[in-house]
Amino acid sequence: MGNLNVEPHERSQQPSPRPAPTKIWSVNEPPFAGFQPIDTEGYRRSNRETTIVIDNGSSTVRAGWSFDKVPRVSLPPLMARYRDRKLNRTFAFMGSDVYADGTARGQAKNVYDPGTNIVNNWDVMEGVLDYIFVKLGIEGGTGAIERPVLMTEPVANLGYSRKTMTEILFECYGAPSVAYGIDSLFSYRYNGGRTGLVISSSYTSTHLIPVIESKALLSHATRLSWGRFQGAEYLLKLLRLKYPGFPGKFSDPQAEDLVREHCYISQDYQQELDSYLDWEGLEERDHIIQHPYTEQIVPQKSEEELARQAEKRKESGRRLQEQAAKMRLEKLIRREQELEYYKELQTRISEATKKEAKRLLDSDDFDDDTQLEKKIRDMEKSIRKARNKDLGDDQEETVEPTFPLLDIADDQLDEEGLKQKRQQRLLKSNHDARARAKAEKEKEKARLAEEERLDAERRENDLDGWIAERRAARQALVQKMRERERLKADLGNRKSLASQMRMKSIANLASDNPSRKRRRGGDEDTFGADDADWGVYRTIAVGEGSEDEEEEDLGTSLKNIEAVLLKHDPSFTEDSTREAQMDWSKSLIHAFRYGPWPFDPESQRQAHQVHLNVERIRVPEVVFQPAIAGLDQAGIVEIAADIITQRVSDSPKKHDILKDIFLTGGNTMFQGFEERLRNELRAVLPAEAPLAVRQARDPILDAWKGAARWSAEPEAKQAFVSRAEYDEKGGEYMKVSEAARFFGR
């Protein structure tokens, strides 16, 4: 993926304002083709010698008559069947029709296992064949199709798969004769090839087959387990890693469309990858894919409505203030009434006997008259504070507390007096501590004011020197922040010096015989006796020498210095601040995830977008470098060079093979594929060796067209297995004739 861990401020290119993206791609809907009518015209033109040609591809099955120029039926090998309980009916959907029904889409089954080209679900295969024969207009009044069938198959097809397919065609459909052939070789023959190297990269795999004098050397053929299906799957994995919190989901057909429409082959992969996220030209290389989303609609209000709402809020606030003032007044009246009651109680207690006074105090939950006096004093203070607040004067009258019992000797006080004396001593200690803290705060405030005065005087007398000092202080803070970031990164690398020192400290603590010598006295643990012992925990937690940095708020200090420089230093602008230098437009990670445009996390539209940039060249590059995707196989250039220089090196047609490197299959249609293959083959082959690379006229349909043309030739009939031969020799029987040599039969 390139060096994505580069720090943002280390990028050298200075960005310029970018306009909004001119084009945003949308994901395609599921490929529903609509209702396909039954085509009876071909069946009426056909006779018992006319062949039904079926290209049984793992992504698309195509079928038609041998006299057709293009296939009449094309469908993905899918089938869905379910029973509707309400209607008491069973529904079956074939091909792209499964995308027309939500339930059918969830019940869809494929003919093939994912990522393979071997038929696995024969029920679905029969359903696909039923659909093909019905859409071709075959009446089947006798219970048989009564037409020969030519079907393509993959290289090195399993004997069981071919046997089962033969049994189905003969037993279920009553085909009079059946033949098989390799799709890529049909395409090569259709494009006039006789001797060459066929490179077929299709939906599930890539094959390289040498052909000499119209004979395929299948013993030298090689398979690379990579096609468009694996490319789409790989793209989805990359996008999941790139956007782990992406709210949407791409389906497999949509991923295949993204690979087909946006990917291309790089002519120099490593060099282009290193500069792919550079700011210059990134808006052209970065493709934005918009996933469907629902925008949250925020109603826009007119100025009159906004003013009316503001007036309502103001009126509501005024009413709340009136209610609060009324409640405060009622509360104040209640407190004044309580205060009058307690004062009256105090007067009654002073005039009553000791026993009566005790009874009066107990009735109001007071232990003695001291508590009553404290209650009256607190209520007077609270009432006075409430009155001052209503009058707008929040300044509280400070009354210096007194502690009379501290001057009286302990022998002159009873037990209750001693208890109150201890309370007063504690109160006096708290009062003195608050007084000292207040004095220190005032002293610090005065010191800061004096420093500000001296700093202002210094700035007025020597502005240049003052600015230089501030810049030096700012640079020191920036260096500290960078050092802290570097230290944190080093701690994540077990081979770094900081990480090794940390592990050394941990090992020393865990060791039975630590390096520090213990005092005499056996195994007595004296850790903690020295205050320096506890510093090891800070060293283990964050690294050595970072204790002071943890106590400082470097970010706040840096912002304060930069604010002063912005105010007094004309050469220090907003672009000079660290925040501007850490801007998203200089971040390689931002360019990778969001391209050269700003990202708004609150926007639903941007939250449902993916940016394809390095993926556009990384996904198709796997055919040339399979190790990129973790595939333990050689690339097509190494395979082709091995076939030419080793396996067919003794053939007199070796140079003829080099003159016709033939490309077919949908996965070879990437822009630059042919040119890249030609350049890399030229680099590994001898300089004097002839080399010619060409692509099929239609890499997708030429396989079916070649099969249709071959089946219409008279000598092709020799390669078909008849029903009588099947009944006599079984489903494993396969003819090897001159007509079938080209297709490996």
Side-chain angles (χ1 to χ4, degrees):
M1 193 66 70
N3 299 323
L4 296 183
N5 58 346
V6 179
E7 295 186 6
H9 59 273
E10 293 181 356
R11 297 192 73 194
S12 58
Q13 290 155 334
Q14 181 65 28
S16 59
R18 288 289 191 269
T22 56
K23 184 175 182 180
I24 297 180
W25 286 262
S26 60
V27 294
N28 297 329
E29 293 298 324
F32 174 56
F35 175 73
Q36 301 294 321
I38 298 176
D39 188 352
T40 59
E41 185 269 338
Y43 183 71
R44 290 195 302 268
R45 286 177 55 191
S46 68
N47 54 47
R48 290 183 177 272
E49 301 298 323
T50 306
T51 304
I52 300 174
V53 181
I54 302 176
D55 181 9
N56 195 23
S58 51
S59 65
T60 305
V61 179
R62 300 177 180 88
W65 302 98
S66 57
F67 51 74
D68 288 333
K69 300 298 183 183
V70 293
R72 294 175 182 256
V73 180
S74 180
L75 73 156
L78 300 173
M79 183 181 75
R81 182 187 290 118
Y82 70 92
R83 187 169 185 81
D84 193 315
R85 295 183 179 179
K86 294 182 179 179
L87 301 176
N88 196 26
R89 292 181 59 187
T90 299
F91 293 93
F93 298 84
M94 302 304 307
S96 61
D97 293 347
V98 301
Y99 298 110
D101 184 86
T103 305
R105 192 178 304 180
Q107 300 290 331
K109 294 185 172 79
N110 202 306
V111 170
Y112 303 90
D113 277 338
T116 70
N117 53 9
I118 304 299
V119 177
N120 179 65
N121 195 323
W122 293 101
D123 289 338
V124 179
M125 188 72 248
E126 286 188 31
V128 170
L129 292 176
D130 288 343
Y131 183 88
I132 289 174
F133 296 143
V134 169
K135 293 300 181 181
L136 287 178
I138 299 176
E139 297 176 356
T142 61
I145 57 175
E146 299 177 346
R147 300 290 186 275
V149 176
L150 171 62
M151 182 175 290
T152 63
E153 63 177 3
V155 178
N157 189 23
L158 299 178
Y160 170 77
S161 297
R162 186 185 298 111
K163 173 188 173 183
T164 307
M165 183 67 73
T166 303
E167 291 177 352
I168 290 175
L169 292 174
F170 280 122
E171 302 291 347
C172 293
Y173 297 102
S177 59
V178 175
Y180 299 97
I182 297 174
D183 50 0
S184 57
L185 297 180
F186 278 127
S187 176
Y188 185 51
R189 188 177 189 275
Y190 182 76
N191 284 270
R194 289 184 55 83
T195 300
L197 179 64
V198 178
I199 300 179
S200 170
S201 185
S202 54
Y203 187 69
T204 57
S205 59
T206 298
H207 292 93
L208 287 85
I209 307 173
V211 178
I212 296 179
E213 293 295 338
S214 299
K215 181 179 180 180
L217 305 181
L218 294 183
S219 59
H220 297 325
T222 304
R223 181 200 306 267
L224 173 62
S225 301
W226 191 268
R228 193 172 77 238
F229 174 84
Q230 289 83 1
E233 192 176 47
Y234 184 48
L235 177 63
L236 289 178
K237 290 181 180 179
L238 295 178
L239 291 180
R240 282 193 291 268
L241 289 172
K242 190 174 184 178
Y243 304 99
F246 187 71
K249 181 180 179 180
F250 290 97
S251 64
D252 292 340
Q254 289 173 340
E256 293 169 14
D257 290 340
L258 293 180
V259 172
R260 182 171 54 252
E261 295 177 10
H262 300 279
C263 294
Y264 65 95
I265 298 294
S266 172
Q267 300 306 311
D268 190 337
Y269 175 72
Q270 192 58 49
Q271 180 180 358
E272 187 169 357
L273 183 67
D274 292 340
S275 60
Y276 209 92
L277 295 177
D278 289 348
W279 187 269
E280 187 66 30
L282 182 57
E283 66 274 10
E284 298 177 0
R285 297 187 295 271
D286 187 88
H287 286 194
I288 303 177
I289 312 301
Q290 182 67 64
H291 195 273
Y293 69 100
T294 302
E295 186 68 72
Q296 184 178 2
I297 300 176
V298 179
Q300 300 292 333
K301 299 180 180 179
S302 62
E303 295 183 1
E304 293 78 5
E305 292 177 334
L306 294 175
R308 191 159 49 248
Q309 290 182 353
E311 186 63 29
K312 286 182 179 179
R313 288 193 296 267
K314 185 176 180 181
E315 181 64 22
S316 177
R318 185 183 61 78
R319 287 198 300 268
L320 290 175
Q321 290 177 356
E322 292 178 354
Q323 292 176 3
K326 183 179 180 181
M327 293 175 62
R328 287 198 304 270
L329 180 60
E330 293 175 352
K331 188 176 180 180
L332 180 60
I333 293 174
R334 287 196 301 270
R335 287 184 178 180
E336 289 178 346
Q337 291 174 353
E338 290 180 8
L339 180 60
E340 290 297 330
Y341 169 76
Y342 288 131
K343 284 184 177 181
E344 182 182 352
L345 178 62
Q346 188 179 35
T347 304
R348 288 163 56 193
I349 290 174
S350 62
E351 296 175 354
T353 63
K354 189 173 183 180
K355 183 177 181 180
E356 181 66 17
K358 180 66 174 174
R359 186 187 65 78
L360 292 174
L361 289 171
D362 290 343
S363 63
D364 284 291
D365 296 331
F366 290 112
D367 295 336
D368 51 29
D369 55 353
T370 305
Q371 287 189 0
L372 177 60
E373 183 179 353
K374 185 177 181 300
K375 179 70 173 178
I376 293 174
R377 188 166 58 250
D378 291 344
M379 291 193 68
E380 288 178 344
K381 181 179 179 182
S382 176
I383 291 172
R384 185 167 55 251
K385 184 178 179 181
R387 287 175 177 171
N388 292 338
K389 185 175 181 180
D390 288 339
L391 295 174
D393 186 8
D394 292 338
Q395 293 184 356
E396 185 179 347
E397 296 181 8
T398 57
V399 179
E400 189 70 21
T402 58
F403 311 98
L405 294 179
L406 297 181
D407 298 331
I408 302 176
D410 292 348
D411 55 1
Q412 299 179 11
L413 299 173
D414 55 8
E415 184 178 352
E416 185 65 27
L418 291 174
K419 182 179 179 181
Q420 294 181 10
K421 184 178 180 179
R422 286 194 296 271
Q423 291 179 353
Q424 289 185 6
R425 184 180 291 112
L426 181 61
L427 292 173
K428 186 176 186 303
S429 298
N430 292 337
H431 175 72
D432 293 343
R434 287 195 298 271
R436 287 194 299 271
K438 185 176 181 181
E440 291 177 359
K441 188 176 181 180
E442 293 294 334
K443 184 178 179 181
E444 179 67 16
K445 187 177 180 181
R447 186 186 67 81
L448 293 176
E450 180 65 17
E451 287 183 359
E452 289 181 2
R453 187 188 65 80
L454 293 176
D455 187 69
E457 183 177 344
R458 161 98 168 127
R459 185 174 65 247
E460 293 177 359
N461 295 334
D462 185 10
L463 180 60
D464 295 338
W466 180 87
I467 290 176
E469 291 177 359
R470 291 298 175 273
R471 283 183 172 270
R474 177 187 176 277
Q475 186 61 32
L477 287 176
V478 170
Q479 189 62 33
K480 272 188 177 182
M481 296 175 74
R482 289 179 179 174
E483 185 65 22
R484 176 184 287 183
E485 294 171 357
R486 184 196 62 78
L487 185 61
K488 288 181 178 179
D490 287 347
L491 287 176
N493 180 9
R494 61 185 181 87
K495 295 184 179 180
S496 65
L497 178 61
S499 183
Q500 292 177 2
M501 293 299 295
R502 178 175 180 270
M503 293 303 299
K504 184 178 179 180
S505 300
I506 294 175
N508 186 38
L509 288 175
S511 174
D512 293 334
N513 298 308
S515 59
R516 178 181 294 180
K517 293 183 179 180
R518 291 179 173 175
R519 300 176 183 176
R520 293 182 180 179
D523 292 336
E524 180 184 359
D525 189 1
T526 60
F527 182 85
D530 187 358
D531 291 341
D533 292 343
W534 303 101
V536 69
Y537 290 110
R538 291 187 289 270
T539 303
I540 292 173
V542 294
E544 200 169 341
S546 62
E547 178 183 355
D548 294 335
E549 294 178 358
E550 288 293 326
E551 298 175 356
E552 296 176 352
D553 189 354
L554 301 180
T556 303
S557 301
L558 180 63
K559 287 184 178 180
N560 292 337
I561 292 179
E562 289 180 343
V564 172
L565 288 174
L566 286 172
K567 184 177 180 181
H568 300 285
D569 186 0
S571 62
F572 191 87
T573 63
E574 291 287 347
D575 294 335
S576 305
T577 62
R578 180 173 173 80
E579 184 176 355
Q581 293 174 356
M582 300 291 290
D583 187 44
W584 62 266
S585 60
K586 298 184 179 68
S587 171
L588 196 64
I589 295 296
H590 183 99
F592 173 58
R593 298 190 65 192
Y594 307 116
W597 298 284
F599 176 71
D600 181 11
E602 301 298 328
S603 171
Q604 286 295 315
R605 180 179 63 86
Q606 294 189 25
H608 286 76
Q609 289 178 352
V610 297
H611 292 251
L612 298 181
N613 34 62
V614 296
E615 297 85 4
R616 297 180 60 203
I617 61 174
R618 182 169 187 172
V619 171
E621 181 68 20
V622 179
V623 177
F624 293 89
Q625 302 185 57
I628 291 177
L631 205 61
D632 190 17
Q633 291 184 261
I636 60 172
V637 175
E638 289 82 359
I639 295 174
D642 180 70
I643 291 175
I644 295 170
T645 60
Q646 299 293 330
R647 304 181 196 179
V648 297
S649 58
D650 297 334
S651 173
K653 298 292 185 179
K654 174 182 176 181
H655 291 294
D656 293 335
I657 294 176
L658 290 175
K659 293 178 183 178
D660 192 11
I661 308 296
F662 178 74
L663 303 179
T664 185
N667 207 43
T668 65
M669 297 179 66
F670 290 114
Q671 175 188 344
F673 193 104
E674 182 179 344
E675 181 182 357
R676 169 76 177 275
L677 181 62
R678 181 185 299 109
N679 294 338
E680 295 214 357
L681 283 176
R682 174 56 66 192
V684 298
L685 293 175
E688 68 279 3
L691 179 64
V693 180
R694 65 185 177 111
Q695 191 175 52
R697 291 190 290 269
D698 190 337
I700 296 177
L701 292 181
D702 278 359
W704 185 92
K705 293 178 180 178
R709 174 185 291 181
W710 176 80
S711 65
E713 296 176 358
E715 61 270 17
K717 303 305 178 183
Q718 304 173 13
F720 280 78
V721 177
S722 66
R723 177 60 188 260
E725 292 171 327
Y726 165 76
D727 292 336
E728 178 185 355
K729 302 176 182 179
E732 296 91 347
Y733 176 68
M734 196 174 65
K735 282 189 175 181
V736 179
S737 62
E738 290 298 320
R741 282 195 324 144
F742 192 97
F743 309 108
R745 297 291 172 264

